[in-house]
Amino acid sequence: HSFPTRRSSDLRDRVISKTELDELLEHSASHLRPIILMGYYTGMRRGEILGLTWDQINLTKGFITLKPQDTKTNERRAIPLNEVTTNVLKELSKNRHSDYPYVFTYKGHPILEIKRSFTSACRRARIKGFRFHDLRHTFVTNARKAGVHDSIIMAITGHKTLEMFHRYNKVDEDDLKDGANAILTNTKKQK
């Protein structure tokens, strides 16, 4: 694939707070909530989430396995599940049609698009300038703030280059303050 280069003015840096996430979930349709939670807690792309099938999920091991044909980079990826995403998938599996492969469905059909319902949920929650893809930025930033090593975050999200990874990893004022305080703390320990 050849993707167009983006100008720096095209780059997005929107990261949603936990409070905004809660508001968004509260104002989302019931079929949209689990999709948003998967995006927030896994960093998966919208198409990867909507195309998810039950045979890609291993709840016992706690992983989603995307096949090369399921990813933008055409590489296999293992995505770990946390308690929230595991519970989301367990809940969805209770209402699963045994002969139906897709995880995210609406009235028995796979959900192919969520743009309209997502935009409506953002409007009702009064969240401006936020797109579904920004959940990837949020995941990367939250993982880094939690101390997850860059290489592990990149393995989860499928970012192949540090340049692309850093486009998704947003440093904010709190990060800058934390860095300054860490230096001060370390200096005091050296005395």
Side-chain angles (χ1 to χ4, degrees):
H1 290 237
S2 176
F3 296 99
T5 23
R6 299 178 87 172
R7 298 182 312 270
S8 58
S9 61
D10 292 340
L11 298 179
R12 300 197 36 98
D13 62 358
R14 182 73 160 93
V15 171
I16 194 170
S17 69
K18 182 66 170 78
T19 304
E20 288 176 307
L21 173 71
D22 292 341
E23 280 292 311
L24 181 59
L25 292 170
E26 184 180 319
H27 291 89
S28 293
S30 59
H31 71 278
L32 183 59
R33 282 186 208 112
I35 296 169
I36 291 171
L37 286 168
M38 292 301 289
Y40 184 84
Y41 285 111
T42 68
M44 292 171 68
R45 293 174 181 92
R46 182 186 66 236
E48 293 169 344
I49 295 170
L50 296 181
L52 202 57
T53 54
W54 288 106
D55 64 335
Q56 296 171 294
I57 298 169
N58 185 328
L59 289 173
T60 307
K61 287 188 176 181
F63 277 93
I64 293 170
T65 303
L66 297 179
K67 298 174 220 117
Q69 62 268 30
D70 301 323
T71 69
K72 182 177 175 180
T73 57
N74 292 313
E75 290 188 6
R76 181 187 176 281
R77 227 167 68 231
I79 298 158
L81 298 170
N82 65 18
E83 184 180 342
V84 173
T85 52
T86 299
N87 289 338
V88 162
L89 293 169
K90 282 181 180 176
E91 197 59 37
L92 288 171
S93 71
K94 289 179 186 176
N95 300 321
R96 175 183 172 203
H97 300 289
S98 59
D99 57 343
Y100 207 72
Y102 289 96
V103 174
F104 298 101
T105 61
Y106 181 73
K107 295 183 179 178
H109 299 285
I111 297 173
L112 303 175
E113 188 51 62
I114 57 167
K115 189 171 187 168
R116 196 169 62 224
S117 60
F118 186 80
T119 301
S120 296
C122 286
R123 189 178 60 249
R124 287 191 299 271
R126 292 182 164 78
I127 296 172
K128 296 186 187 314
F130 191 71
R131 298 179 317 186
F132 189 87
H133 192 73
D134 295 328
L135 290 170
R136 252 172 96 71
H137 295 268
T138 302
F139 172 81
V140 169
T141 301
N142 288 346
R144 191 237 335 131
K145 286 183 176 198
V148 179
H149 193 278
D150 292 356
S151 61
I152 294 172
I153 300 169
M154 289 174 68
I156 294 170
T157 60
H159 286 116
K160 293 176 84 166
T161 67
L162 274 172
E163 178 189 3
M164 186 58 74
F165 170 75
H166 287 299
R167 284 187 187 173
Y168 283 78
N169 180 15
K170 300 301 163 198
V171 175
D172 60 21
E173 289 180 353
D174 289 339
D175 295 320
L176 299 174
K177 286 180 187 176
D178 290 346
N181 289 331
I183 293 167
L184 181 62
T185 302
N186 193 42
T187 305
K188 287 179 182 177
K189 287 180 187 175
Q190 292 175 3
K191 289 183 179 180

